[in-house]
Amino acid sequence: MTKLSVIQLRERDALADDLRSLSPEQWRSPTLCGEWDVEEVVAHLGAASRLSFPGWLRSMIGARFDPDVHNRRRLEEFRGSSPEETLARFVGIGPIRLPRRESVGGLGEMIVHSEDIRRPLGIRHDPDPEGLLAVATFFATKDFAVNSKSLVAGLRLRAVDAAYVSGEGPEVSGRLLDLVMAMAGRREVLDGLVGDGVPELTQRLG
């Protein structure tokens, strides 16, 4: 197992620890991930861990390349009969290995969707610094699950809490986690970012 896969499993365990204390109402809370509630995001992460690239491709073909249909089918397939059952299944998942076995994309999915859950609930978590740095580098250089590279093209990203600088142009600075979440398309983190590039990033996210 690669080092990044080990980090991903530690992030899974940290999220599971936070989820164990949720009330039934909190499991139905909105997240930063569209219309999905907490349980649906957890089920989405669990479903992603079961897919190889060929399996993902077959699912997408079956969904006529509609990612919303694909994601809904797979998360409902993984979801248990209750949040507690969904969590029990989630605890047993392995690393997400898309788009390929050694890719950091799976770690990005785990970190971003965990924050999608935690932030609206007011739960603070600092992801593994090495893993978060790898995800930031990946997002700034590749369009994978989201168009992260295209979103920040022509902007200079600078973390205030890590040795991370990427790109050239008007600057956007803030916590590395907020920069990663912005690259993942989450407008909710914009209040934590500063710099002359923020208006352009805000327009692109709009």
Side-chain angles (χ1 to χ4, degrees):
M1 187 178 293
T2 67
K3 186 173 186 178
L4 289 178
S5 291
V6 172
I7 292 172
Q8 186 185 154
L9 293 182
R10 288 204 300 263
E11 293 298 327
R12 175 207 65 188
D13 291 344
L15 178 60
D17 286 344
D18 289 337
L19 294 171
R20 289 189 179 96
S21 63
L22 296 190
S23 67
E25 293 75 22
Q26 286 175 313
W27 276 101
R28 296 291 164 246
S29 295
T31 68
L32 303 187
C33 196
E35 298 180 354
W36 290 351
D37 64 21
V38 171
E39 186 182 7
E40 288 170 318
V41 177
V42 174
H44 169 69
L45 284 171
S49 74
R50 292 180 171 178
L51 286 175
S52 62
F53 181 75
W56 172 86
L57 186 58
R58 287 193 296 271
S59 179
M60 286 294 289
I61 292 171
R64 298 182 182 272
F65 291 96
D66 184 328
D68 292 334
V69 172
H70 155 77
N71 285 327
R72 172 56 63 180
R73 287 176 176 175
R74 299 289 73 79
L75 80 82
E76 291 296 351
E77 184 178 76
F78 183 91
R79 189 176 187 172
S81 60
S82 67
E84 291 75 20
E85 185 175 348
T86 300
L87 178 57
R89 293 178 179 180
F90 176 71
V91 170
I93 69 171
I96 300 168
R97 300 190 184 276
L98 293 173
R100 56 186 185 275
R101 184 177 180 85
E102 72 277 12
S103 174
V104 70
L107 177 59
E109 284 276 296
M110 185 63 69
I111 287 176
V112 168
H113 284 314
S114 294
E115 189 69 4
D116 285 338
I117 291 170
R118 288 185 174 110
R119 193 167 293 226
L121 293 172
I123 299 172
R124 174 69 181 254
H125 173 75
D126 295 318
D128 178 274
E130 182 179 356
L132 185 62
L133 186 60
V135 170
T137 301
F138 179 82
F139 279 4
T141 54
K142 296 192 183 300
D143 288 334
F144 171 48
V146 291
N147 294 328
S148 50
K149 177 184 176 182
S150 301
L151 183 64
V152 297
L155 298 174
R156 181 177 188 263
L157 307 182
R158 181 177 64 84
V160 299
D161 59 347
Y164 177 79
V165 178
S166 176
E168 296 293 337
E171 184 172 280
V172 178
S173 65
R175 291 194 309 143
L176 185 57
L177 180 57
D178 286 343
L179 293 175
V180 165
M181 294 299 290
M183 284 190 276
R186 278 33 175 198
R187 290 180 51 88
E188 292 83 357
V189 304
L190 287 170
D191 288 346
L193 302 175
V194 297
D196 55 356
V198 172
E200 174 63 24
L201 179 60
T202 300
Q203 183 177 355
R204 294 179 188 184
L205 285 170

